[in-house]
Amino acid sequence: MPLPLCTLSSQAHHCLRALKSVKKDCLPPLCIARWASTSSVPRITTHYTIHSRNKDKRWEGVNMERFAEEADVVIVGAGPAGLSAAIRLKQLANEYGKEVRVCLVEKAAQIGAHTLSGACLEPRALEELLPDWKERGAPLQTPVTEDKFGILTKNSRIPVPILPGLPMTNHGNYIVRLGHFVNWLGEQAEALGVEVYPGYAAAEVLFHEDGSVKGIATNDVGIQKDGAPKTNFERGLELHAKVTFFAEGCHGHLAKQLYNRYNLREKCQPQSYGIGLKELWLIDEKKWKPGRVEHTVGWPLDRNTYGGSFLYHLNEGEPLVALGFVVGLDYQNPYLSPFKEFQRWKHHPSVEPTFEGGKRIGYGARALNEGGFQSIPKLTFPGGVLIGCSPGFMNVPKIKGTHTAMKSGMLASEAVFNQLTNENLQSKTIGLDVPEYEENLKKSWVWKELYSVRNIRPSCHGVLGVYGGMIYTGIFYWILRGMEPWTLKHPRPDSDQLKPAKDCTPIEYPKPDGKISFDLLSSVALSGTNHEHDQPPHLTLKDDSVPVNKNLAIYDGPEQRFCPAGVYEYVPLETGEGLRLQINAQNCVHCKTCDIKDPSQNINWVVPEGGGGPAYNGM
């Protein structure tokens, strides 16, 4: 089916400006989508990325025109990296008196609503970007006053001193609610003239005939759950740019396509990931220690399962704490549930007293990059760049990536601005290639920092597991500061790590008590998650038969345990014989864990209609 394209018009401008009217309090309550089928292999996936509309008679005669907007730079994702890039571009444009149009699209209904992190922020990049951030009212209200670290056994806690110079040292850092910080960055960007469009999900990468990136297209809206067009169907908009910045965050779905098209991962190791689960609590004021940062490793995980906890005491006028649990997605036991490990951790004798008498007010989850230096892909290609947590600049032993993500966006903007304003530039492609960005990044403190800690995460793969990594850190990092003449490798991808269920012991988790620990669906309700019910599930399957025939048969359906939102369930067939996979797509918190950990690599996460997903309040 041909897809004619309309040129720039007042209607396109109107469509974009209309996004400004999205209200912060208009998200409907959570509800759970159910899908049933009676076919021998129940049909689960109806999304057009799997079932082409060109072959679907229901789409015959539907107007498939898309309007187009032209910009100098389009940025996908309003996280710390994308917003820092936008701010830096406009700073340079204003400094040199140049007109540079910057459009930024964000799939969340409001800036910061999909952002989740611990978060303990190192302000180095912020101070470079906006030196007067305090005067501007940046929401950094809790300087770190105390660092604590411990190893947990089932019934006790072994304190571990944090020596000066170790990655876990947080002197000079701030405990923040990253969603609020990102929202503030959005205000700074708009004040400089950046066009910020929340509620628009970038669904497709567009290409010029010469193979360079042309821009992106936002998602179509008005499609029924069965894949048919509704009467109010509308095509997405095309946003064209000389350079497109991809700042989607960890495991971006567009970045996945770019890795393959341009072979960007040819010379790096596989990315490794973790799943981070987080809650916000109001606690008894007598137990509140504003500025305290606590981390633990050990129980309830075994030594061969990478992970640990954090507990941060905020100082925002009420006794608020942020707590969370991270599990490396290279774990091997398919019976492991990251969510239930998190709930179990809260009952440790040294942890539970903090929450007694308190109230949980928030929940969410997000995957994070753990591959570090060895897993950084090629960052530039004709017409585009990768910035932030999309390629993965997290300093794993520090448990911090915001500062490096911001700096990557700033460096990319500086390189791109030089090309945009170079009157003598002769580009080989229509979309500009900016290799100077990657060259400058390798000369920056980001590269030096990531290189120095490159061996700490892979050192946890030895016989001593996490404890071997701690020993390695104490000896080689503390003494040599990452100057050892070797670089350790990561093992195979996380999706290849699970053992068959028959070779593993099921894990018996205690039932939640409803006071300290909770069930999954009541937790998801606190995330404010909602999607339009009548749309094709955005958790797509390449083959609908694989979940039962492989994942369930070999691994006992691990997706029903690794998902932190109850999206995947195996339920009885209507005939009463056997099971089928049910996808509750409306519960999805956009963490990307399923796309990463699925042992069949059959799940492909794509964007739902813009504005759908969690509605985090300062997570």
Side-chain angles (χ1 to χ4, degrees):
M1 180 184 302
L3 303 179
L5 178 66
C6 293
T7 56
L8 181 65
S9 69
S10 60
Q11 183 175 354
H13 280 289
H14 175 73
C15 291
L16 282 170
R17 299 303 186 274
L19 288 169
K20 295 292 186 179
S21 66
V22 175
K23 298 194 182 295
K24 296 184 178 182
D25 57 355
C26 65
L27 290 175
L30 171 76
C31 89
I32 302 170
R34 301 291 181 181
W35 178 275
S37 175
T38 57
S39 61
S40 56
V41 176
R43 180 144 183 198
I44 303 170
T45 301
T46 59
H47 201 276
Y48 67 86
T49 57
I50 302 296
H51 300 286
S52 173
R53 295 183 289 208
N54 293 338
K55 302 176 182 178
D56 190 335
K57 292 184 178 180
R58 297 174 299 178
W59 286 87
E60 290 181 358
V62 175
N63 182 4
M64 300 298 283
E65 287 183 316
R66 287 198 293 211
F67 295 101
E69 279 270 5
E70 299 288 341
D72 294 298
V73 172
V74 167
I75 300 174
V76 180
L83 287 166
S84 295
I87 290 169
R88 188 68 187 124
L89 269 169
K90 295 301 285 188
Q91 285 177 335
L92 290 166
N94 293 342
E95 180 180 349
Y96 290 94
K98 302 291 184 179
E99 285 292 330
V100 177
R101 187 183 183 197
V102 181
C103 294
L104 186 152
V105 294
E106 163 59 37
K107 62 185 175 66
Q110 62 192 62
I111 303 302
H114 286 182
T115 299
L116 183 145
S117 182
C120 193
L121 176 68
E122 183 174 316
R124 183 173 185 176
L126 175 61
E127 290 170 350
E128 294 180 12
L129 181 67
L130 297 166
D132 59 342
W133 58 267
K134 290 182 180 179
E135 290 76 12
R136 291 171 178 260
L140 277 66
Q141 302 171 28
T142 312
V144 175
T145 58
E146 182 182 7
D147 260 322
K148 298 183 71 175
F149 187 80
I151 300 173
L152 300 185
T153 65
K154 186 174 182 179
N155 296 307
S156 63
R157 181 188 190 113
I158 304 169
V160 177
I162 300 178
L163 300 175
L166 287 177
M168 297 292 287
T169 303
N170 282 294
H171 178 74
N173 297 334
Y174 292 81
I175 304 170
V176 301
R177 299 173 69 176
L178 195 64
H180 289 170
F181 175 68
V182 164
N183 190 273
W184 175 82
L185 281 178
E187 294 171 356
Q188 309 311 304
E190 288 191 296
L192 285 167
V194 177
E195 298 175 36
V196 180
Y197 300 112
Y200 251 34
E204 179 184 348
V205 183
L206 305 175
F207 299 95
H208 291 288
E209 290 185 2
D210 64 2
S212 61
V213 170
K214 185 178 185 179
I216 59 96
T218 62
N219 61 296
D220 297 344
V221 296
I223 305 175
Q224 294 176 181
K225 191 170 186 177
D226 64 2
K230 298 178 184 178
T231 56
N232 64 343
F233 169 77
E234 289 186 11
R235 285 284 268 164
L237 287 172
E238 292 195 2
L239 292 172
H240 301 167
K242 296 169 184 173
V243 184
T244 303
F245 288 46
F246 294 89
E248 302 169 277
C250 176
H251 206 66
H253 82 290
L254 297 182
K256 281 175 53 181
Q257 301 171 33
L258 296 168
Y259 292 148
N260 293 330
R261 184 179 182 97
Y262 296 110
N263 203 15
L264 301 178
R265 303 201 67 87
E266 179 184 16
K267 297 181 180 180
C268 70
Q269 294 176 29
Q271 185 60 265
S272 181
Y273 301 89
I275 173 65
L277 305 104
K278 179 181 177 180
E279 294 177 350
L280 288 175
W281 280 67
L282 288 170
I283 63 170
D284 185 337
E285 192 164 353
K286 296 176 182 177
K287 305 170 184 176
W288 181 40
K289 309 293 182 183
R292 175 183 286 182
V293 166
E294 300 183 51
H295 295 98
T296 69
V297 297
W299 189 88
L301 302 177
D302 61 37
R303 72 173 186 274
N304 294 315
T305 303
Y306 185 85
S309 74
F310 65 86
L311 176 57
Y312 302 156
H313 293 246
L314 289 140
N315 188 14
E316 298 192 358
E318 55 185 350
L320 186 69
V321 295
L323 57 139
F325 203 81
V326 177
V327 178
L329 288 177
D330 56 355
Y331 69 82
Q332 297 182 333
N333 187 342
Y335 293 110
L336 187 146
S337 165
F339 173 81
K340 291 183 178 179
E341 295 291 349
F342 177 30
Q343 299 306 309
R344 182 159 65 164
W345 164 78
K346 288 186 289 180
H347 284 289
H348 189 273
S350 70
V351 176
E352 184 170 349
T354 300
F355 309 116
E356 290 176 341
K359 180 183 179 181
R360 187 177 67 149
I361 61 171
Y363 169 80
R366 186 68 169 96
L368 55 147
N369 299 297
E370 292 186 345
F373 180 83
Q374 294 91 319
S375 300
I376 297 174
K378 188 174 186 295
L379 301 172
T380 65
F381 42 91
V385 296
L386 297 170
I387 62 173
C389 290
S390 182
F393 296 119
M394 180 173 170
N395 183 324
V396 179
K398 271 189 178 182
I399 323 178
K400 292 174 185 62
T402 302
H403 65 301
T404 50
M406 292 176 67
K407 182 63 174 178
S408 72
M410 294 156 61
L411 289 167
S413 288
E414 290 164 2
V416 167
F417 181 79
N418 287 338
Q419 286 218 15
L420 290 175
T421 56
N422 183 355
E423 297 178 357
N424 299 317
L425 178 68
Q426 294 182 338
S427 177
K428 296 180 181 179
T429 55
I430 301 174
L432 299 182
D433 196 1
V434 193
E436 293 82 2
Y437 157 48
E438 186 164 347
E439 294 167 6
N440 293 342
L441 186 79
K442 290 180 178 179
K443 299 173 186 176
S444 74
W445 55 259
V446 172
W447 202 257
K448 181 179 179 181
E449 179 177 319
L450 295 181
Y451 181 82
S452 70
V453 298
R454 69 194 182 284
N455 288 328
I456 294 178
R457 176 65 175 94
S459 70
C460 297
H461 293 297
V463 293
L464 296 178
V466 174
Y467 305 114
M470 292 177 64
I471 294 170
Y472 187 97
T473 303
I475 296 175
F476 292 103
Y477 180 81
W478 196 59
I479 296 175
L480 298 178
R481 291 294 192 271
M483 297 304 293
E484 61 267 31
W486 59 81
T487 297
L488 302 178
K489 293 184 178 181
H490 296 295
R492 56 195 184 279
D494 294 342
S495 57
D496 294 344
Q497 295 282 359
L498 285 181
K499 294 179 179 179
K502 65 181 178 61
D503 298 331
C504 298
T505 303
I507 301 173
E508 295 294 331
Y509 290 104
K511 292 183 179 181
D513 64 3
K515 298 178 181 178
I516 303 296
S517 52
F518 302 90
D519 65 80
L520 193 54
L521 291 184
S522 67
S523 300
V524 177
L526 287 176
S527 70
T529 298
N530 184 75
H531 297 85
E532 162 61 38
H533 173 80
D534 191 16
Q535 66 174 307
H538 63 283
L539 295 315
T540 70
L541 304 179
K542 300 172 187 175
D543 184 338
D544 286 350
S545 69
V546 165
V548 169
N549 294 340
K550 181 176 179 181
N551 285 15
L552 184 62
I554 299 175
Y555 303 103
D556 196 44
E559 55 268 70
Q560 60 191 330
R561 288 178 288 273
F562 60 57
C563 173
V567 169
Y568 301 94
E569 292 182 87
Y570 283 93
V571 299
L573 286 166
E574 287 73 8
T575 61
E577 297 180 3
L579 299 172
R580 63 179 177 87
L581 180 66
Q582 178 169 276
I583 296 181
N584 307 314
Q586 205 159 352
N587 285 12
C588 179
V589 295
H590 298 200
C591 73
K592 311 293 181 68
T593 303
C594 57
D595 195 308
I596 296 165
K597 188 60 177 173
D598 176 18
S600 305
Q601 285 299 279
N602 186 50
I603 298 172
N604 186 46
W605 191 99
V606 298
V607 289
E609 289 190 4
Y616 296 139
N617 178 15
M619 291 289 279

